[in-house]
Amino acid sequence: MTGLSNFIHPALGFIALALFLPFVRENKIWRWLLPIPGIIAIMGVMSMQDGTYGPLHWLGLNMVLGRVDKLSIIFAHVFAIEALVGMIFAMHVKDKLQHIAAALYIAGGFGRVFSGDYVTLVLFWELMSVASTFIIWLARNKRSTQAGFRYFIFHTMGGLFLLGGVLLRYADLGTFAFTPVSPGAANYYDWLILLGFCVNAAVVPLHAWLPDAYPEATVTGAVFLSAFTTKTAVYVLARGFSGFEILGVMGVIMAIYGAAYATIENNARRILAYHIVSQVGYMVAGIGIGTAMTVDGACAHAYAHILYKGLLFMCAGSILYATGTAKLTKLGGLASRMPLVMICYMVAAVSISGFPLFNGFISKNITITGAALSHHTWLALGMEIAAVGTFLSVGIKLPYFAFWSKPEYTGEVKKLPRNMYVAMFMAAFLCFFTGVYPQALYRLLPFPLEYEPFAPWQVLSSLQLLGFTGLGFYICRKIIVPHEGRNLDFDIVYRFVGWVGLFLAKYPVALIDDWWTSVYRRIGLAGLLRMAKGSSIFDAQGIDGVVDGTAKSVLGLGGILAKVQTGKLSDYVGLSALIGIGIIALVYFMR
């Protein structure tokens, strides 16, 4: 174990930024401070070596701030890159509170990745929860306020599951060390911890907070949200619960479910939010299968996903910023008015769809191939089916109705700040670079990997899948036209529970309350009044009589003593002699 002098925690720069921004004068120069923590984080992560750093003894607890290995490095590496790109994208925002919330949120993400114990993990877990809630609220409208409250409730629930499991685990094992759990030896508290992780990973049916909240966040805030919360959950699942087969099944359900709902959505940012659920499903499935190749695939897909999903949210946010809406029914023909945004979007779209030469093609196929090689044929097939929905919704439907469909959007298109273009081009380049040079990604993976993604059969099968999906869209393009309205998804269950609870509170519970109030008024209250009257009589005749009699006796005795005290010495001497004689006589006769 090595001291902090050999480990510079990437979270420190973002915490320092959050603490410093409130005291900076109002001018344009302070915005150039935003990318600095990201640059420092990239340099720090690239210079890290495996080891355990920063032991901290606090309140009798042994905490580890820096556990560095291949698994934590790959997540920290892409977090640092996305933090830099996201801060550049947000440089035009004048609201310092948005930058403070984003900085603390990123710091919490780094804190989770390097946590060597559950206490440290829980502390940074709650920091992310609170900061991300403010990222949503800072959109400052009714929908964002409501979505933020719901988001916070879900993450508080997940945090309580995690904390409860951690405390029960400590009571049994006497340690807070964050170590892997064997699937065959999991205790009830391990399942509680796993449940808390699954809430953050948006595992179906615990996912509804994500498509509800992310589209309501600020334009820049949604970029950060898409990168950190679910991916830190993927990291802790890979760290602690690799090989749990239930995760393999749930991951494939997520992949298909998210892609299916994205296909019928109208709001561009809700489409992308559903695809976070879908794409994280690939990662959860890879972790659940638990082989070296599928875990590598999950980590590689998390890396690629952060890059292309951040770019997708940047492009959708740019459309929202420029036009004031992200609804496909109100857009169209933007390719000629926002050509650079269209190009960047298509880079991200073909990346998430698994098109050859882009990073999603590499990472997705590692996971699917690993599932097939480990004889999880049905899971591999499910992930292939989800890939069809991904290309259909994000790769074709969204860009078609936003950039090319008729009638064209005729409203005002605001000019985008240059920093937004810079950030989008950076992300687009990285999506392409890691797609044509996957060895750069392979070197970061936790297990050695020998995989040739550009084998002819692999490329041909991907092109066939994408080609037939495109043909299907062309045939059905008039059927899957986006429609106004909001798809409730699993919300309908939550709302049904709410309606039932409201009905019970409004009718049966209210009737019981009215009946009990009536009974209490007639019987209980009357009995209390009779008891009070009896207590009053007892107080007046009993207690007061004793107290008053005692007081009168003391008063009479005091009067006698006052008369005895004549003030003459001769009287006192005589009285003393009389008392002494009396005492002697009493003793004599008692013998």
Side-chain angles (χ1 to χ4, degrees):
M1 185 171 289
T2 311
L4 277 173
S5 59
N6 296 318
F7 174 75
I8 304 300
H9 204 300
L12 293 177
F14 293 96
I15 294 174
L17 177 66
L19 295 175
F20 184 67
L21 279 181
F23 304 99
V24 178
R25 295 179 59 184
E26 293 294 336
N27 55 54
K28 294 183 179 180
I29 298 177
W30 66 265
R31 298 177 196 175
W32 291 97
L33 298 173
L34 301 179
I36 294 177
I39 296 172
I40 296 174
I42 292 173
M43 296 172 60
V45 171
M46 293 181 66
S47 63
M48 287 180 186
Q49 296 181 356
D50 290 3
T52 303
Y53 301 90
L56 178 64
H57 302 283
W58 181 60
L59 298 179
L61 303 173
N62 295 319
M63 302 168 63
V64 177
L65 299 175
R67 173 170 49 188
V68 181
D69 57 18
K70 297 284 283 186
L71 182 60
S72 58
I73 281 290
I74 186 171
F75 281 88
H77 193 277
V78 71
F79 280 2
I81 292 173
E82 188 63 21
L84 174 61
V85 174
M87 282 297 184
I88 292 174
F89 186 76
M91 284 180 66
H92 65 283
V93 177
K94 299 178 181 179
D95 186 359
K96 291 182 182 178
L97 290 177
Q98 292 190 37
H99 300 304
I100 292 171
L104 292 175
Y105 176 63
I106 295 169
F110 280 115
R112 283 192 195 182
V113 166
F114 289 113
S115 296
D117 62 279
Y118 275 114
V119 175
T120 308
L121 180 68
V122 169
L123 292 177
F124 283 109
W125 194 277
E126 295 308 314
L127 175 61
M128 285 193 76
S129 177
V130 174
S132 55
T133 301
F134 277 96
I135 288 176
I136 299 167
W137 280 343
L138 287 170
R140 293 184 171 90
N141 57 61
K142 183 178 179 181
R143 292 181 71 92
S144 68
T145 301
Q146 294 173 338
F149 271 114
R150 179 176 177 179
Y151 176 93
F152 187 70
I153 289 172
F154 263 92
H155 284 270
T156 300
M157 179 182 69
L160 290 175
F161 282 133
L162 172 60
L163 181 61
V166 167
L167 293 177
L168 291 170
R169 180 179 182 273
Y170 179 79
D172 185 34
L173 303 180
T175 178
F176 285 113
F178 184 14
T179 54
V181 179
S182 174
N187 287 292
Y188 64 96
Y189 46 76
D190 295 314
W191 291 104
L192 274 178
I193 295 171
L194 177 60
L195 184 59
F197 290 166
C198 286
V199 172
N200 261 40
V203 173
V204 177
L206 305 172
H207 70 288
W209 56 268
L210 195 156
D212 179 61
Y214 282 17
E216 308 304 333
T218 62
V219 168
T220 57
V223 176
F224 294 111
L225 292 174
S226 70
F228 290 91
T229 297
T230 50
K231 262 58 74 183
T232 54
V234 169
Y235 165 78
V236 293
L237 286 174
R239 172 71 68 185
F241 295 93
S242 178
F244 277 64
E245 291 189 1
I246 184 66
L247 293 178
V249 177
M250 295 307 297
V252 173
I253 292 174
M254 290 172 66
I256 298 174
Y257 190 93
Y261 262 92
T263 304
I264 62 175
E265 263 299 334
N266 177 41
N267 185 296
R269 297 211 296 176
R270 278 180 66 84
I271 291 174
L272 300 180
Y274 271 114
H275 267 293
I276 294 178
V277 177
S278 179
Q279 297 300 297
V280 170
Y282 286 87
M283 307 169 208
V284 173
I287 293 167
I289 295 170
T291 66
M293 188 173 186
T294 58
V295 173
D296 274 347
C299 295
H301 201 51
Y303 194 103
H305 178 267
I306 289 172
L307 295 177
Y308 62 64
K309 184 60 71 174
L311 179 55
L312 287 169
F313 267 97
M314 288 182 209
C315 295
S318 297
I319 294 173
L320 177 61
Y321 178 91
T323 66
T325 183
K327 293 184 177 180
L328 301 184
T329 49
K330 297 182 179 180
L331 298 172
L334 291 177
S336 60
R337 304 179 71 179
M338 304 180 70
L340 296 180
V341 174
M342 182 270 293
I343 293 171
C344 290
Y345 178 86
M346 290 311 302
V347 170
V350 295
S351 296
I352 192 175
S353 301
F355 196 87
L357 303 182
F358 295 90
N359 58 5
F361 172 76
I362 307 296
S363 60
K364 191 175 295 185
N365 284 328
I366 293 174
T367 308
I368 295 174
T369 302
L373 292 177
S374 62
H375 307 293
H376 290 82
T377 307
W378 286 106
L379 298 185
L381 181 60
M383 287 186 273
E384 289 284 14
I385 294 172
V388 174
T390 300
F391 184 52
L392 181 63
S393 55
V394 179
I396 303 178
K397 176 184 175 179
L398 195 159
Y400 175 78
F401 288 106
F403 295 112
W404 291 293
S405 69
K406 305 290 184 178
E408 296 183 357
Y409 173 78
T410 57
E412 178 189 5
V413 176
K414 291 172 57 178
K415 184 178 179 181
L416 297 181
R418 292 181 181 178
N419 61 286
M420 296 176 74
Y421 285 116
V422 171
M424 287 188 285
F425 286 139
M426 290 174 64
F429 169 76
L430 291 170
C431 288
F432 178 73
F433 175 76
T434 50
V436 297
Y437 185 58
Q439 289 74 20
L441 182 57
Y442 291 176
R443 285 196 288 266
L444 296 171
L445 296 176
F447 300 104
L449 178 66
E450 293 184 4
Y451 174 71
E452 176 51 55
F454 299 114
W457 69 270
Q458 190 83 7
V459 174
L460 183 60
S461 63
S462 295
L463 291 177
Q464 285 179 332
L465 182 68
L466 298 175
F468 279 109
T469 303
L471 178 62
F473 174 81
Y474 179 78
I475 296 173
C476 303
R477 66 188 184 280
K478 295 183 179 180
I479 300 176
I480 60 173
V481 174
H483 299 282
E484 286 284 357
R486 187 181 183 93
N487 299 309
L488 291 181
D489 178 23
F490 215 82
D491 285 359
I492 193 66
V493 177
Y494 304 139
R495 296 188 183 202
F496 176 75
V497 172
W499 291 330
V500 170
L502 182 61
F503 175 82
L504 293 176
K506 192 174 181 180
Y507 295 105
V509 175
L511 289 175
I512 294 173
D513 181 68
D514 290 342
W515 175 81
W516 173 250
T517 301
S518 177
V519 171
Y520 172 75
R521 185 181 297 112
R522 295 180 181 179
I523 300 175
L525 186 59
L528 288 175
L529 290 174
R530 285 192 292 270
M531 289 177 61
K533 185 176 180 180
S535 299
S536 177
I537 294 173
F538 176 74
D539 178 66
Q541 297 183 2
I543 296 177
D544 288 353
V546 173
V547 173
D548 292 346
T550 303
K552 291 178 181 178
S553 300
V554 172
L555 182 63
L557 180 61
I560 296 172
L561 292 175
K563 291 179 180 180
V564 171
Q565 295 177 5
T566 61
K568 296 180 179 180
L569 182 60
S570 58
D571 292 341
Y572 294 155
V573 172
L575 181 60
S576 299
L578 182 62
I579 292 173
I581 294 171
I583 292 172
I584 293 171
L586 180 62
V587 171
Y588 177 79
F589 286 111
M590 289 180 67
R591 292 175 61 187

